[in-house]
Amino acid sequence: MQPKLTNPEADRSERVSPVDDDDVITPPGRVRRLLRAQTPAHWAVSAVLVLIGIQMAISVARNSNFQWDVVGDYMFSRPILTGLARTLELTAISAVVGYALGALLAVMNLSGAYLPAAVSRAFVWFFRGTPLLVQLLFWFNLGALYRSISVGVPFGGPTFFSVDSNSVITPFTAAILGLGLNAGAYFSEVVRAGILSIHHGQVEAASALGLSRTQTLRTVIMPQAMRVIIPPGFNEIIGMLKYSSMVSVLAVPELLYTAELIYARTFQTIPMLIVASIWYLILTTILSIVQHYIEKHFGKGFRNPKVSDRAGDRATAYQLEGPPEGERMLGGESGGNR
Amino acid sequence: MTEMVIAKKIRKRFGDTEVLHGLDLTVQAGEVVCLIGPSGSGKSTLLRCINHLERPNGGTVTVNGELVGVVRKKSGLTPMRPAQLSKQRTDIGMVFQSFNLFAHKTALENVALAPRLARRESREEAVRRAEKLLAQVGLAAFHNSYPAEMSGGQQQRVAIARALAMLPKVMLFDEPTSALDPELVGEVLDVIRTLARHGMTMIIATHELSFARDVADRVVFMDAGQIVESGPAREVLAQPREERTRAFLSRIL
Ligand SMILES: Nc1ncnc2c1ncn2[C@@H]1O[C@H](COP(=O)(O)OP(=O)(O)O)[C@@H](O)[C@H]1O
Ligand SMILES: [Mg+2]
């Protein structure tokens, strides 16, 4: 619905009586609101910032040491793209392993059962408490500690299968183990925070209706916890994207290590680092966009706090125009939340 | 008449303090019982013991002839498996003071969720009944509204529809209107009145005395974890026998 917009300045001068029955509060437009909030000090700071920005852009573009042509040459080169795929693979697998493990650990921690909770806490204590680099090297060198890995019944029972450590622990599996288990420890705290954010009444209502604990967890707790889990969860995933570059110590040719290999040969260090950084930025941007939509999905039914003092302006605008597409003001007359 | 709810010698402790001191309460099928009493007297705890949201430390609850939450073994009573308790709870509807609607689900989803999960109904069946129930509580136009978009009175009516969707044999109300603005109380009480007319067995903790007078077959006055007085609404509210009841009524009126 298109609102009847009138120019507030013009209105003011034309009106004779200051109070009129059909007085309509016309919200100022977006640009006007932005400009109105600026004081002379704001203007001065803005001007300086813009100048600095332009200056930096020019210096980066003009400085031939950046070798932008080399950046362009390598940006889509085969080895870089292969390294990029490796990075994506590492991040995706360890994010999935990390989230699944984290959710399990969080539920164990909150289960109220002594042993599972203790195991969960010990796991988090250990994997958060030691450097990722050490963990990666440890997994990689597992073969030195254990010749073979077997599954069987302890104390002389039968062995179901046994494999040689060195054949299972490739650099890639060591990387997945290191990143995934580490991520699991961090994710478990993120998931736990999400679960703790759920009001106890939600769980009681589900129990009273006869839902089982698993059903309650799956359909009532987790969907609402996701709202709280997503922002720090994506923080973790984006962090992991970059921690994955640490597996270069295991000589897994992911994005950064591939770039390093190239500049070790060509000595074009700066442009290769720029190539890698641009790709990391692109991936992070894509993840942020995905995050935005997932957040919106799990935010259904919730009203987010408006922190800015412009919230009032926006509220007025909503009353008159109706909320913009996909962004509804919820509540208004909630009688129960006090 | 058959007995729908029998609570026998219910004791409940929180830490070292006992808040229910061996209560007895029997509710006949189709009977409406209002629990009144000062805040902290144990009304909520009693209701929550009936569906075992709180496990009593002593005594038994029987609903529709079945022991709730415990099984009788040779060695005595032992807690039953969680799955079995969940199944029993489907027969006991509960409405909370703070509504507790699932915040991430629309009104329709709130009502249709439990029948699908706990009663294994098909989606169509659950949705069909949910639509009917929402219409009955006067919210046909609010299927797709989220709880945060509804007034307290509307939310509480959805909560009642949600409990009714499980086709319970008895309904427990824990101060269903205490969180509402005064002008919204009526719409919720009207829904409960209608249920009473249709013969639903109900136990209602409330501070609305005129409503209790209207709707209750029996009023139970509780104080300090004990039932002080119980009888037909008109008697207990108009000519209380006990001094404590009289004191409470004079304070609240
Ligand atoms: N979860 C709990 N932990 C400790 N004490 C509780 C808990 N729930 C209720 N109580 C105590 O039990 C007593 C009865 O409370 P309640 O049943 O809520 O009374 P009412 O509903 O009549 O106001 C109160 O003294 C209250 O403080
Ligand atoms: Mg209470």
Side-chain angles (χ1 to χ4, degrees), chain A residues 2 71 137-138 169 242 250 268 273 284 286 311 330:
Chain A
Q2 194 56 38
V71 172
L137 291 171
F138 177 84
I169 303 292
K242 289 174 295 168
L250 310 183
Q268 291 160 326
L273 290 178
T284 309
I286 295 172
L330 301 179

Side-chain angles (χ1 to χ4, degrees), chain B:
Chain B
M1 269 225 194
T2 55
E3 288 145 346
M4 182 59 81
V5 179
I6 307 168
K8 251 195 235 160
K9 299 213 169 58
I10 300 292
R11 292 184 177 278
K12 177 67 192 174
R13 271 195 314 272
F14 288 114
D16 288 339
T17 30
E18 189 169 82
V19 301
L20 295 181
H21 309 295
L23 284 185
D24 289 304
L25 177 70
T26 302
V27 180
Q28 306 293 330
E31 195 182 16
V32 177
V33 171
C34 281
L35 294 180
I36 61 170
S39 138
S41 58
K43 305 181 294 294
S44 303
T45 308
L46 175 59
L47 290 175
R48 294 159 61 83
C49 282
I50 291 176
N51 68 356
H52 268 234
L53 277 184
E54 304 285 0
R55 203 178 271 289
N57 298 106
T60 56
V61 177
T62 311
V63 170
N64 201 31
E66 252 184 73
L67 271 179
V68 177
V70 289
V71 281
R72 198 177 289 284
K73 296 221 169 115
K74 273 187 293 241
S75 52
L77 298 174
T78 49
M80 64 172 43
R81 282 178 297 115
Q84 221 176 334
L85 177 57
S86 292
K87 186 151 183 321
Q88 287 188 328
R89 283 181 175 145
T90 62
D91 282 343
I92 311 171
M94 184 159 205
V95 173
F96 299 87
Q97 180 172 349
S98 49
F99 330 136
N100 295 349
L101 289 183
F102 302 131
H104 62 308
K105 301 221 171 268
T106 63
L108 192 71
E109 291 166 347
N110 260 281
V111 181
L113 180 73
R116 280 206 292 129
L117 293 179
R119 287 176 53 90
R120 309 241 164 250
E121 288 179 19
S122 71
R123 187 180 185 82
E124 295 75 51
E125 195 182 353
V127 166
R128 201 170 334 113
R129 197 164 62 249
E131 282 171 348
K132 218 167 93 190
L133 282 165
L134 282 178
Q136 278 169 14
V137 298
L139 293 173
F142 288 83
H143 286 179
N144 298 320
S145 302
Y146 287 98
E149 298 171 307
M150 288 186 271
S151 75
Q154 291 166 340
Q155 289 184 58
Q156 194 60 298
R157 285 184 282 152
V158 174
I160 295 173
R162 177 176 71 172
L164 290 173
M166 298 303 289
L167 309 175
K169 302 210 162 67
V170 55
M171 287 278 284
L172 313 175
F173 292 84
D174 191 1
E175 302 198 28
T177 59
S178 293
L180 298 178
D181 289 340
E183 79 267 26
L184 302 176
V185 168
E187 63 191 49
V188 171
L189 295 185
D190 284 345
V191 170
I192 302 176
R193 274 195 190 92
T194 312
L195 282 176
R197 267 202 305 280
H198 284 79
M200 174 63 79
T201 313
M202 296 190 279
I203 309 178
I204 308 168
T206 184
H207 285 295
E208 301 284 336
L209 294 188
S210 61
F211 165 76
R213 193 172 302 130
D214 265 17
V215 80
D217 297 307
R218 194 147 53 92
V219 168
V220 171
F221 173 68
M222 283 179 65
D223 191 18
Q226 278 167 330
I227 292 179
V228 175
E229 182 165 0
S230 154
R234 272 164 220 293
E235 283 176 22
V236 175
L237 295 176
Q239 293 131 15
R241 277 170 283 135
E242 299 289 331
E243 178 51 41
R244 278 199 278 178
T245 319
R246 241 171 280 148
F248 170 73
L249 292 174
S250 68
R251 245 182 299 137
I252 199 173
L253 288 176

Side-chain angles (χ1 to χ4, degrees), chain A residues 158-201:
Chain A
T159 302
F160 299 127
F161 72 85
S162 176
V163 287
D164 177 25
S165 305
N166 284 325
S167 65
V168 194
I169 303 292
T170 64
F172 190 74
T173 48
I176 292 293
L177 276 171
L179 290 172
L181 297 187
N182 192 263
Y186 281 93
F187 260 130
S188 84
E189 287 295 279
V190 169
V191 173
R192 198 164 69 89
I195 294 177
L196 288 177
S197 76
I198 306 300
H199 190 274
H200 192 55

Side-chain angles (χ1 to χ4, degrees), chain A residues 106-125:
Chain A
V107 170
M108 279 164 67
N109 190 330
L110 297 172
S111 67
Y114 180 78
L115 194 62
V119 169
S120 165
R121 285 186 196 135
F123 184 98
V124 173
W125 169 76

